Amino acid sequence: MNSNNSLSPYEARVRELLGKYFLGLTSMQEEKELHAALSDFPLDRADTALRADAELFLTLASMPSLLPPVPEGFEQELAAHVDALASTSGTRSVRRIIGPRIYAWVSAGVAAAIAGLLFLSPFFTSADPAASGDTESSLMASVPDDYDYGVVEITDPKKAERIVGRSIAMLSNVSRAAARQASGSLNVIGQ
Amino acid sequence: MTAEVFKDRVLRHSADMWRMAVSILRDSDAAKDAVQEALSRLWENRDRLIDIDNARPYCMMAVRNVAIDLCRRRDFLSVGPIDEAYPLPSRDRDPEQLLQGAQKVEMVERLIDSLPPNQQTVIRMSCIGGCDIAEIRQATGLSAENVRVLLSRARRKLKELYQLMAETDKY
């Protein structure tokens, strides 16, 4: 191993920059200087510690160039992706406006209401087919023709809030009506 | 922010984003997905980029977060052999040198994987993203001194592990 006073200024600079590098103190400029210095440095004649430090530095510095190259046409693909995002972001979905958590609860409520109606439908039909038909018609009449069961694309957030509020109120009414009808049908069956 | 302005600010860093994703995921297709997903997230938060001159730290952080999510979801950490994980770049360089270089990179990647998460973040942003301390500070919200300390610890730990491997000739 070389002693400090026998080091050439060149080697001393390399050691100094490597020392700073491993302390996180080098600037980008100094790292470039170190990279350039090490590319001409006779590492095969350096001591083991210096060689390992230099190899690690060079490996870290060359990582970007040794990773797989960016696929051809990738930037164009990304540009098209951004255009697609831009074309759909003029409108905002109810999910984004009311938040995913509330949206999930409302969705679960809708699903539960539908499941409840499906579960209770045999009682309506078995008791009195004509009455159950009337009930179904009246229930469906309470649902607006333009009601959208999926993700509604809208442009007016306040309007969206009003729609969601009305939908929740309507579903509550439908559930209560269904429960009343079911109760009446069960009484009919029991008699 | 218009799509054109967004593209101008963000897509210039797409190559760095790609390298960051591929270094974490080690899978080209997954890296593509990660960059696209990161772009979507950046687009959703594009208003925050309006007053920012240099979007690179945010791009790198976004793609890093998506890549780590993907890793966790798909268990990408159990990678295959080197030739499957890293298709060699088609450059006019000696294939043997390239293979040796790729093997060293693969080894260093594995050493980086063994570091604590915050050290992994700063070392990847520094080496692969080419970010300086100010940019890492901007992306992570850490102080410059914290970034420097994390960077120093990460490099010294890598040095220790690398020297250990060099001495035992494991690579």
Side-chain angles (χ1 to χ4, degrees):
Chain A
M1 184 185 284
N2 293 324
S3 63
N4 277 343
N5 50 10
S6 65
L7 294 178
S8 68
Y10 181 61
E11 185 176 345
R13 179 66 178 156
V14 165
R15 285 179 184 274
E16 180 197 346
L17 288 175
L18 274 175
K20 281 180 76 175
Y21 177 78
F22 285 105
L23 290 173
L25 294 170
T26 40
S27 63
M28 297 299 258
Q29 191 57 39
E30 285 175 322
E31 286 174 28
K32 280 182 191 162
E33 182 191 340
L34 181 58
H35 194 271
L38 282 174
S39 59
D40 297 328
F41 194 83
L43 280 177
D44 50 337
R45 281 185 276 152
D47 59 75
T48 312
L50 177 63
R51 196 163 57 236
D53 286 359
E55 277 184 4
L56 176 58
F57 168 80
L58 288 171
T59 304
L60 288 170
S62 62
M63 277 172 84
S65 65
L66 287 166
L67 288 168
V70 180
E72 273 185 38
F74 187 50
E75 193 165 331
Q76 285 73 27
E77 273 180 48
L78 294 178
H81 180 63
V82 172
D83 288 335
L85 290 170
S87 67
T88 56
S89 65
T91 56
R92 298 168 71 197
S93 68
V94 171
R95 182 199 293 264
R96 286 195 61 198
I97 293 164
I98 65 175
R101 187 179 288 263
I102 296 173
Y103 184 84
W105 278 107
V106 171
S107 302
V110 171
I114 291 169
L117 287 173
L118 287 173
F119 176 73
L120 295 171
S121 61
F123 295 113
F124 299 141
T125 52
S126 63
D128 181 352
S132 73
D134 291 342
T135 306
E136 187 179 348
S137 302
S138 64
L139 285 172
M140 290 312 292
S142 66
V143 180
D145 290 340
D146 59 349
Y147 184 75
D148 191 338
Y149 294 91
V151 175
V152 184
E153 293 292 324
I154 52 152
T155 52
D156 183 352
K158 286 187 178 170
K159 189 179 172 190
E161 284 172 14
R162 284 199 300 276
I163 290 171
V164 170
R166 275 208 308 271
S167 301
I168 291 170
M170 186 195 72
L171 283 169
S172 304
N173 291 339
V174 168
S175 302
R176 276 199 294 275
R180 276 199 302 275
Q181 288 290 342
S183 171
S185 300
L186 287 171
N187 288 339
V188 171
I189 293 166
Q191 283 166 4
Chain B
M1 181 185 280
T2 65
E4 291 311 310
V5 175
F6 180 83
K7 282 192 266 187
D8 181 54
R9 290 198 181 178
V10 172
L11 290 191
R12 69 174 66 175
H13 308 298
S14 60
D16 286 336
M17 291 172 80
W18 159 262
R19 282 189 279 270
M20 174 66 91
V22 87
S23 83
I24 296 172
L25 293 160
R26 298 176 198 164
D27 179 290
S28 299
D29 291 334
K32 268 186 167 182
D33 292 344
V35 175
Q36 281 208 348
E37 175 60 24
L39 271 189
S40 301
R41 291 190 188 179
L42 287 165
W43 175 258
E44 281 179 21
N45 296 294
R46 60 193 178 281
D47 294 346
R48 294 183 194 170
L49 297 175
I50 289 174
D51 298 325
I52 291 165
D53 294 333
N54 180 11
R56 183 160 66 163
Y58 300 96
C59 295
M60 302 311 290
M61 205 61 182
V63 76
R64 173 246 180 223
N65 290 343
V66 172
I68 287 176
D69 284 351
L70 276 176
C71 262
R72 286 181 186 145
R73 259 187 273 154
R74 302 187 204 173
D75 197 23
F76 265 103
L77 288 173
S78 55
V79 291
I82 177 79
D83 51 347
E84 288 173 21
Y86 284 106
L88 293 175
S90 55
R91 308 258 172 90
D92 296 331
R93 285 157 67 178
D94 179 9
E96 197 171 326
Q97 274 187 347
L98 276 174
L99 183 61
Q100 282 178 354
Q103 283 172 335
K104 275 187 189 169
V105 168
E106 168 69 4
M107 190 193 74
V108 171
E109 283 281 14
R110 287 178 187 277
L111 296 182
I112 291 174
D113 286 344
S114 71
L115 297 174
N118 50 5
Q119 291 182 24
Q120 284 186 39
T121 300
V122 295
I123 199 92
R124 283 208 165 94
M125 291 192 81
S126 161
C127 298
I128 295 154
C131 296
D132 60 21
I133 286 181
E135 287 175 321
I136 299 172
R137 184 187 62 76
Q138 206 178 344
T140 58
L142 297 168
S143 70
E145 185 56 21
N146 274 346
V147 172
R148 195 196 63 73
V149 168
L150 284 173
L151 203 51
S152 168
R153 283 184 186 160
R155 285 173 179 167
R156 278 185 291 157
K157 185 68 186 172
L158 288 178
K159 172 179 164 175
E160 185 187 312
L161 295 170
Y162 194 89
Q163 281 179 348
L164 194 67
M165 295 187 89
E167 282 162 14
T168 52
D169 273 335
K170 278 192 176 173
Y171 67 96

Short mmCIF file of all heavy atoms in Angstrom, two decimals, chain A residues 117-166:
data_model
loop_
_atom_site.label_atom_id
_atom_site.label_comp_id
_atom_site.label_asym_id
_atom_site.label_seq_id
_atom_site.Cartn_x
_atom_site.Cartn_y
_atom_site.Cartn_z
N LEU A 117 -84.32 -6.72 -3.15
CA LEU A 117 -85.49 -6.78 -4.03
C LEU A 117 -85.58 -8.14 -4.72
O LEU A 117 -86.66 -8.72 -4.83
CB LEU A 117 -85.40 -5.67 -5.09
CG LEU A 117 -85.65 -4.25 -4.58
CD1 LEU A 117 -85.36 -3.24 -5.68
CD2 LEU A 117 -87.10 -4.10 -4.10
N LEU A 118 -84.42 -8.64 -5.17
CA LEU A 118 -84.42 -9.94 -5.83
C LEU A 118 -84.85 -11.05 -4.87
O LEU A 118 -85.59 -11.96 -5.23
CB LEU A 118 -83.02 -10.25 -6.39
CG LEU A 118 -82.61 -9.44 -7.63
CD1 LEU A 118 -81.15 -9.71 -7.98
CD2 LEU A 118 -83.51 -9.79 -8.82
N PHE A 119 -84.36 -10.93 -3.62
CA PHE A 119 -84.68 -11.94 -2.62
C PHE A 119 -86.18 -11.94 -2.31
O PHE A 119 -86.80 -12.99 -2.14
CB PHE A 119 -83.88 -11.67 -1.34
CG PHE A 119 -84.21 -12.60 -0.21
CD1 PHE A 119 -83.77 -13.92 -0.23
CD2 PHE A 119 -84.97 -12.16 0.87
CE1 PHE A 119 -84.08 -14.77 0.81
CE2 PHE A 119 -85.28 -13.03 1.91
CZ PHE A 119 -84.83 -14.34 1.88
N LEU A 120 -86.77 -10.76 -2.28
CA LEU A 120 -88.18 -10.64 -1.89
C LEU A 120 -89.14 -10.84 -3.05
O LEU A 120 -90.34 -11.00 -2.84
CB LEU A 120 -88.42 -9.25 -1.26
CG LEU A 120 -87.69 -9.00 0.06
CD1 LEU A 120 -87.82 -7.55 0.46
CD2 LEU A 120 -88.23 -9.91 1.15
N SER A 121 -88.65 -10.84 -4.28
CA SER A 121 -89.55 -10.89 -5.43
C SER A 121 -90.44 -12.14 -5.46
O SER A 121 -91.59 -12.04 -5.89
CB SER A 121 -88.75 -10.76 -6.73
OG SER A 121 -87.84 -11.82 -6.82
N PRO A 122 -89.97 -13.33 -5.03
CA PRO A 122 -90.88 -14.50 -5.05
C PRO A 122 -92.12 -14.28 -4.20
O PRO A 122 -93.19 -14.77 -4.54
CB PRO A 122 -90.02 -15.63 -4.47
CG PRO A 122 -88.63 -15.21 -4.69
CD PRO A 122 -88.63 -13.73 -4.61
N PHE A 123 -91.98 -13.55 -3.09
CA PHE A 123 -93.14 -13.30 -2.23
C PHE A 123 -94.18 -12.46 -2.97
O PHE A 123 -95.37 -12.67 -2.84
CB PHE A 123 -92.72 -12.58 -0.94
CG PHE A 123 -91.82 -13.44 -0.08
CD1 PHE A 123 -90.51 -13.08 0.13
CD2 PHE A 123 -92.29 -14.62 0.50
CE1 PHE A 123 -89.68 -13.85 0.90
CE2 PHE A 123 -91.46 -15.40 1.28
CZ PHE A 123 -90.15 -15.01 1.48
N PHE A 124 -93.70 -11.46 -3.72
CA PHE A 124 -94.64 -10.61 -4.46
C PHE A 124 -95.43 -11.46 -5.45
O PHE A 124 -96.63 -11.34 -5.57
CB PHE A 124 -93.91 -9.51 -5.23
CG PHE A 124 -93.14 -8.58 -4.35
CD1 PHE A 124 -91.89 -8.10 -4.75
CD2 PHE A 124 -93.66 -8.18 -3.14
CE1 PHE A 124 -91.19 -7.24 -3.94
CE2 PHE A 124 -92.95 -7.30 -2.33
CZ PHE A 124 -91.70 -6.84 -2.73
N THR A 125 -94.73 -12.31 -6.19
CA THR A 125 -95.38 -13.05 -7.27
C THR A 125 -96.25 -14.18 -6.74
O THR A 125 -97.31 -14.44 -7.28
CB THR A 125 -94.35 -13.61 -8.25
OG1 THR A 125 -93.41 -14.34 -7.51
CG2 THR A 125 -93.67 -12.50 -9.02
N SER A 126 -95.79 -14.86 -5.66
CA SER A 126 -96.54 -16.02 -5.19
C SER A 126 -97.85 -15.60 -4.52
O SER A 126 -98.83 -16.33 -4.59
CB SER A 126 -95.70 -16.84 -4.21
OG SER A 126 -95.41 -16.05 -3.08
N ALA A 127 -97.89 -14.41 -3.91
CA ALA A 127 -99.09 -14.01 -3.19
C ALA A 127 -100.21 -13.62 -4.16
O ALA A 127 -101.30 -14.16 -4.11
CB ALA A 127 -98.78 -12.83 -2.27
N ASP A 128 -99.88 -12.71 -5.03
CA ASP A 128 -100.91 -12.22 -5.96
C ASP A 128 -100.19 -11.68 -7.18
O ASP A 128 -99.66 -10.57 -7.15
CB ASP A 128 -101.73 -11.12 -5.26
CG ASP A 128 -102.83 -10.61 -6.18
OD1 ASP A 128 -102.84 -11.01 -7.37
OD2 ASP A 128 -103.65 -9.81 -5.69
N PRO A 129 -100.14 -12.44 -8.26
CA PRO A 129 -99.36 -12.01 -9.44
C PRO A 129 -99.77 -10.63 -9.94
O PRO A 129 -98.92 -9.82 -10.30
CB PRO A 129 -99.67 -13.09 -10.47
CG PRO A 129 -100.08 -14.29 -9.69
CD PRO A 129 -100.75 -13.77 -8.45
N ALA A 130 -101.04 -10.35 -9.93
CA ALA A 130 -101.47 -9.05 -10.46
C ALA A 130 -100.97 -7.92 -9.56
O ALA A 130 -100.45 -6.90 -10.04
CB ALA A 130 -103.00 -9.02 -10.53
N ALA A 131 -101.08 -8.15 -8.23
CA ALA A 131 -100.64 -7.11 -7.29
C ALA A 131 -99.14 -6.92 -7.37
O ALA A 131 -98.63 -5.78 -7.32
CB ALA A 131 -101.03 -7.50 -5.86
N SER A 132 -98.41 -8.05 -7.52
CA SER A 132 -96.95 -7.91 -7.58
C SER A 132 -96.52 -7.18 -8.85
O SER A 132 -95.57 -6.42 -8.85
CB SER A 132 -96.27 -9.28 -7.49
OG SER A 132 -96.46 -9.98 -8.69
N GLY A 133 -97.31 -7.42 -9.93
CA GLY A 133 -97.02 -6.69 -11.17
C GLY A 133 -97.21 -5.19 -10.98
O GLY A 133 -96.39 -4.38 -11.41
N ASP A 134 -98.28 -4.85 -10.27
CA ASP A 134 -98.54 -3.44 -9.99
C ASP A 134 -97.43 -2.84 -9.13
O ASP A 134 -96.97 -1.72 -9.35
CB ASP A 134 -99.88 -3.28 -9.25
CG ASP A 134 -101.04 -3.61 -10.16
OD1 ASP A 134 -100.82 -3.61 -11.41
OD2 ASP A 134 -102.15 -3.87 -9.66
N THR A 135 -97.02 -3.65 -8.14
CA THR A 135 -95.95 -3.18 -7.24
C THR A 135 -94.67 -2.92 -8.02
O THR A 135 -94.02 -1.89 -7.87
CB THR A 135 -95.67 -4.23 -6.15
OG1 THR A 135 -96.88 -4.54 -5.50
CG2 THR A 135 -94.64 -3.72 -5.16
N GLU A 136 -94.36 -3.89 -8.89
CA GLU A 136 -93.13 -3.75 -9.68
C GLU A 136 -93.20 -2.50 -10.56
O GLU A 136 -92.25 -1.73 -10.65
CB GLU A 136 -92.93 -5.00 -10.54
CG GLU A 136 -91.60 -5.02 -11.26
CD GLU A 136 -91.41 -6.27 -12.09
OE1 GLU A 136 -92.20 -7.22 -11.94
OE2 GLU A 136 -90.47 -6.27 -12.89
N SER A 137 -94.40 -2.32 -11.16
CA SER A 137 -94.56 -1.15 -12.03
C SER A 137 -94.40 0.14 -11.24
O SER A 137 -93.74 1.08 -11.68
CB SER A 137 -95.95 -1.15 -12.68
OG SER A 137 -96.12 -2.33 -13.40
N SER A 138 -95.03 0.14 -10.04
CA SER A 138 -94.94 1.38 -9.26
C SER A 138 -93.52 1.63 -8.78
O SER A 138 -93.05 2.77 -8.72
CB SER A 138 -95.91 1.34 -8.06
OG SER A 138 -95.52 0.30 -7.19
N LEU A 139 -92.83 0.53 -8.45
CA LEU A 139 -91.42 0.69 -8.02
C LEU A 139 -90.57 1.23 -9.17
O LEU A 139 -89.76 2.14 -9.01
CB LEU A 139 -90.85 -0.63 -7.53
CG LEU A 139 -91.29 -1.10 -6.15
CD1 LEU A 139 -90.80 -2.52 -5.89
CD2 LEU A 139 -90.77 -0.16 -5.07
N MET A 140 -90.76 0.65 -10.33
CA MET A 140 -89.96 1.07 -11.47
C MET A 140 -90.32 2.50 -11.89
O MET A 140 -89.48 3.25 -12.36
CB MET A 140 -90.18 0.13 -12.67
CG MET A 140 -89.58 -1.25 -12.47
SD MET A 140 -87.88 -1.23 -11.88
CE MET A 140 -87.03 -0.56 -13.27
N ALA A 141 -91.58 2.86 -11.67
CA ALA A 141 -92.00 4.22 -12.03
C ALA A 141 -91.30 5.24 -11.16
O ALA A 141 -91.11 6.40 -11.55
CB ALA A 141 -93.51 4.35 -11.89
N SER A 142 -90.91 4.81 -9.94
CA SER A 142 -90.24 5.76 -9.05
C SER A 142 -88.78 5.97 -9.45
O SER A 142 -88.12 6.85 -8.93
CB SER A 142 -90.31 5.26 -7.60
OG SER A 142 -89.55 4.07 -7.47
N VAL A 143 -88.27 5.12 -10.37
CA VAL A 143 -86.89 5.29 -10.84
C VAL A 143 -86.91 6.15 -12.09
O VAL A 143 -87.61 5.82 -13.04
CB VAL A 143 -86.25 3.91 -11.16
CG1 VAL A 143 -84.82 4.09 -11.65
CG2 VAL A 143 -86.28 3.01 -9.93
N PRO A 144 -86.20 7.25 -12.09
CA PRO A 144 -86.21 8.11 -13.28
C PRO A 144 -85.70 7.35 -14.51
O PRO A 144 -84.84 6.48 -14.38
CB PRO A 144 -85.24 9.24 -12.92
CG PRO A 144 -85.08 9.16 -11.45
CD PRO A 144 -85.36 7.77 -11.03
N ASP A 145 -86.28 7.71 -15.67
CA ASP A 145 -85.87 7.03 -16.90
C ASP A 145 -84.40 7.26 -17.21
O ASP A 145 -83.74 6.41 -17.79
CB ASP A 145 -86.71 7.57 -18.09
CG ASP A 145 -88.14 7.10 -17.96
OD1 ASP A 145 -88.37 6.12 -17.23
OD2 ASP A 145 -89.02 7.75 -18.56
N ASP A 146 -83.91 8.41 -16.84
CA ASP A 146 -82.52 8.74 -17.20
C ASP A 146 -81.54 8.35 -16.08
O ASP A 146 -80.40 8.79 -16.08
CB ASP A 146 -82.39 10.23 -17.51
CG ASP A 146 -82.79 11.08 -16.34
OD1 ASP A 146 -83.36 10.54 -15.37
OD2 ASP A 146 -82.53 12.28 -16.38
N TYR A 147 -82.01 7.54 -15.13
CA TYR A 147 -81.10 7.14 -14.04
C TYR A 147 -80.00 6.25 -14.58
O TYR A 147 -80.26 5.28 -15.31
CB TYR A 147 -81.89 6.40 -12.95
CG TYR A 147 -81.02 6.05 -11.77
CD1 TYR A 147 -80.63 7.04 -10.87
CD2 TYR A 147 -80.57 4.76 -11.59
CE1 TYR A 147 -79.81 6.74 -9.82
CE2 TYR A 147 -79.75 4.45 -10.53
CZ TYR A 147 -79.38 5.44 -9.64
OH TYR A 147 -78.56 5.14 -8.60
N ASP A 148 -78.78 6.60 -14.27
CA ASP A 148 -77.62 5.84 -14.75
C ASP A 148 -77.04 5.03 -13.60
O ASP A 148 -76.64 5.59 -12.58
CB ASP A 148 -76.56 6.82 -15.29
CG ASP A 148 -75.48 6.09 -16.05
OD1 ASP A 148 -75.30 4.88 -15.82
OD2 ASP A 148 -74.81 6.74 -16.88
N TYR A 149 -77.00 3.73 -13.76
CA TYR A 149 -76.55 2.87 -12.66
C TYR A 149 -75.02 2.76 -12.60
O TYR A 149 -74.47 2.27 -11.64
CB TYR A 149 -77.14 1.47 -12.81
CG TYR A 149 -78.64 1.46 -12.65
CD1 TYR A 149 -79.48 1.62 -13.74
CD2 TYR A 149 -79.20 1.32 -11.39
CE1 TYR A 149 -80.85 1.62 -13.59
CE2 TYR A 149 -80.57 1.32 -11.23
CZ TYR A 149 -81.40 1.48 -12.32
OH TYR A 149 -82.74 1.49 -12.17
N GLY A 150 -74.32 3.20 -13.65
CA GLY A 150 -72.87 3.03 -13.67
C GLY A 150 -72.16 4.30 -13.21
O GLY A 150 -72.74 5.13 -12.54
N VAL A 151 -70.89 4.44 -13.59
CA VAL A 151 -70.14 5.65 -13.26
C VAL A 151 -70.64 6.76 -14.17
O VAL A 151 -70.59 6.66 -15.39
CB VAL A 151 -68.63 5.42 -13.48
CG1 VAL A 151 -67.87 6.70 -13.24
CG2 VAL A 151 -68.15 4.33 -12.56
N VAL A 152 -71.19 7.81 -13.58
CA VAL A 152 -71.79 8.87 -14.38
C VAL A 152 -70.73 9.93 -14.66
O VAL A 152 -70.09 10.43 -13.74
CB VAL A 152 -72.96 9.51 -13.62
CG1 VAL A 152 -73.66 10.54 -14.48
CG2 VAL A 152 -73.93 8.43 -13.17
N GLU A 153 -70.51 10.24 -15.92
CA GLU A 153 -69.56 11.29 -16.27
C GLU A 153 -70.30 12.62 -16.24
O GLU A 153 -71.30 12.80 -16.94
CB GLU A 153 -68.99 11.04 -17.67
CG GLU A 153 -68.12 9.80 -17.76
CD GLU A 153 -66.84 9.95 -16.98
OE1 GLU A 153 -66.29 11.07 -16.95
OE2 GLU A 153 -66.40 8.98 -16.38
N ILE A 154 -69.87 13.53 -15.44
CA ILE A 154 -70.57 14.79 -15.31
C ILE A 154 -69.58 15.94 -15.32
O ILE A 154 -68.39 15.74 -15.14
CB ILE A 154 -71.38 14.86 -14.00
CG1 ILE A 154 -70.44 14.50 -12.86
CG2 ILE A 154 -72.57 13.95 -14.03
CD1 ILE A 154 -70.86 15.12 -11.61
N THR A 155 -70.09 17.09 -15.51
CA THR A 155 -69.21 18.26 -15.55
C THR A 155 -69.47 19.20 -14.38
O THR A 155 -68.67 20.08 -14.12
CB THR A 155 -69.41 19.04 -16.86
OG1 THR A 155 -70.78 19.30 -17.01
CG2 THR A 155 -68.90 18.24 -18.05
N ASP A 156 -70.63 19.02 -13.70
CA ASP A 156 -71.00 19.94 -12.64
C ASP A 156 -70.97 19.22 -11.29
O ASP A 156 -71.87 18.42 -10.99
CB ASP A 156 -72.41 20.48 -12.94
CG ASP A 156 -72.83 21.52 -11.91
OD1 ASP A 156 -72.11 21.67 -10.91
OD2 ASP A 156 -73.87 22.16 -12.10
N PRO A 157 -69.96 19.47 -10.46
CA PRO A 157 -69.84 18.74 -9.19
C PRO A 157 -71.04 18.93 -8.27
O PRO A 157 -71.49 17.99 -7.63
CB PRO A 157 -68.58 19.32 -8.56
CG PRO A 157 -67.84 19.95 -9.67
CD PRO A 157 -68.83 20.36 -10.68
N LYS A 158 -71.62 20.15 -8.24
CA LYS A 158 -72.75 20.39 -7.35
C LYS A 158 -73.96 19.58 -7.79
O LYS A 158 -74.69 19.02 -6.99
CB LYS A 158 -73.08 21.88 -7.30
CG LYS A 158 -72.06 22.66 -6.50
CD LYS A 158 -72.45 24.08 -6.28
CE LYS A 158 -71.40 24.77 -5.42
NZ LYS A 158 -71.56 26.19 -5.37
N LYS A 159 -74.13 19.54 -9.11
CA LYS A 159 -75.23 18.76 -9.65
C LYS A 159 -75.04 17.28 -9.28
O LYS A 159 -76.00 16.59 -8.94
CB LYS A 159 -75.29 18.93 -11.17
CG LYS A 159 -76.53 18.32 -11.80
CD LYS A 159 -76.53 18.57 -13.30
CE LYS A 159 -77.66 17.80 -13.97
NZ LYS A 159 -77.54 17.82 -15.41
N ALA A 160 -73.77 16.83 -9.35
CA ALA A 160 -73.48 15.43 -9.00
C ALA A 160 -73.86 15.14 -7.56
O ALA A 160 -74.45 14.10 -7.26
CB ALA A 160 -71.99 15.16 -9.21
N GLU A 161 -73.53 16.08 -6.67
CA GLU A 161 -73.88 15.88 -5.26
C GLU A 161 -75.39 15.77 -5.10
O GLU A 161 -75.90 14.94 -4.34
CB GLU A 161 -73.34 17.03 -4.42
CG GLU A 161 -71.84 16.93 -4.18
CD GLU A 161 -71.28 18.17 -3.51
OE1 GLU A 161 -72.07 18.97 -2.98
OE2 GLU A 161 -70.05 18.33 -3.52
N ARG A 162 -76.12 16.65 -5.83
CA ARG A 162 -77.59 16.61 -5.73
C ARG A 162 -78.12 15.27 -6.23
O ARG A 162 -78.99 14.67 -5.62
CB ARG A 162 -78.20 17.76 -6.55
CG ARG A 162 -78.08 19.13 -5.88
CD ARG A 162 -79.08 20.10 -6.47
NE ARG A 162 -78.90 20.29 -7.91
CZ ARG A 162 -78.01 21.15 -8.45
NH1 ARG A 162 -77.26 21.89 -7.68
NH2 ARG A 162 -77.91 21.27 -9.75
N ILE A 163 -77.55 14.78 -7.34
CA ILE A 163 -78.00 13.50 -7.91
C ILE A 163 -77.76 12.37 -6.92
O ILE A 163 -78.62 11.53 -6.69
CB ILE A 163 -77.27 13.22 -9.25
CG1 ILE A 163 -77.77 14.19 -10.32
CG2 ILE A 163 -77.51 11.79 -9.70
CD1 ILE A 163 -76.98 14.13 -11.61
N VAL A 164 -76.55 12.38 -6.32
CA VAL A 164 -76.22 11.32 -5.38
C VAL A 164 -77.17 11.37 -4.18
O VAL A 164 -77.69 10.35 -3.73
CB VAL A 164 -74.75 11.43 -4.91
CG1 VAL A 164 -74.47 10.49 -3.77
CG2 VAL A 164 -73.82 11.13 -6.07
N GLY A 165 -77.45 12.59 -3.68
CA GLY A 165 -78.36 12.75 -2.54
C GLY A 165 -79.74 12.22 -2.88
O GLY A 165 -80.35 11.49 -2.10
N ARG A 166 -80.23 12.61 -4.07
CA ARG A 166 -81.56 12.15 -4.49
C ARG A 166 -81.59 10.64 -4.64
O ARG A 166 -82.55 9.97 -4.27
CB ARG A 166 -81.94 12.81 -5.81
CG ARG A 166 -82.56 14.20 -5.66
CD ARG A 166 -83.51 14.51 -6.82
NE ARG A 166 -82.92 14.33 -8.13
CZ ARG A 166 -82.25 15.27 -8.79
NH1 ARG A 166 -82.09 16.45 -8.27
NH2 ARG A 166 -81.76 15.02 -9.98
#
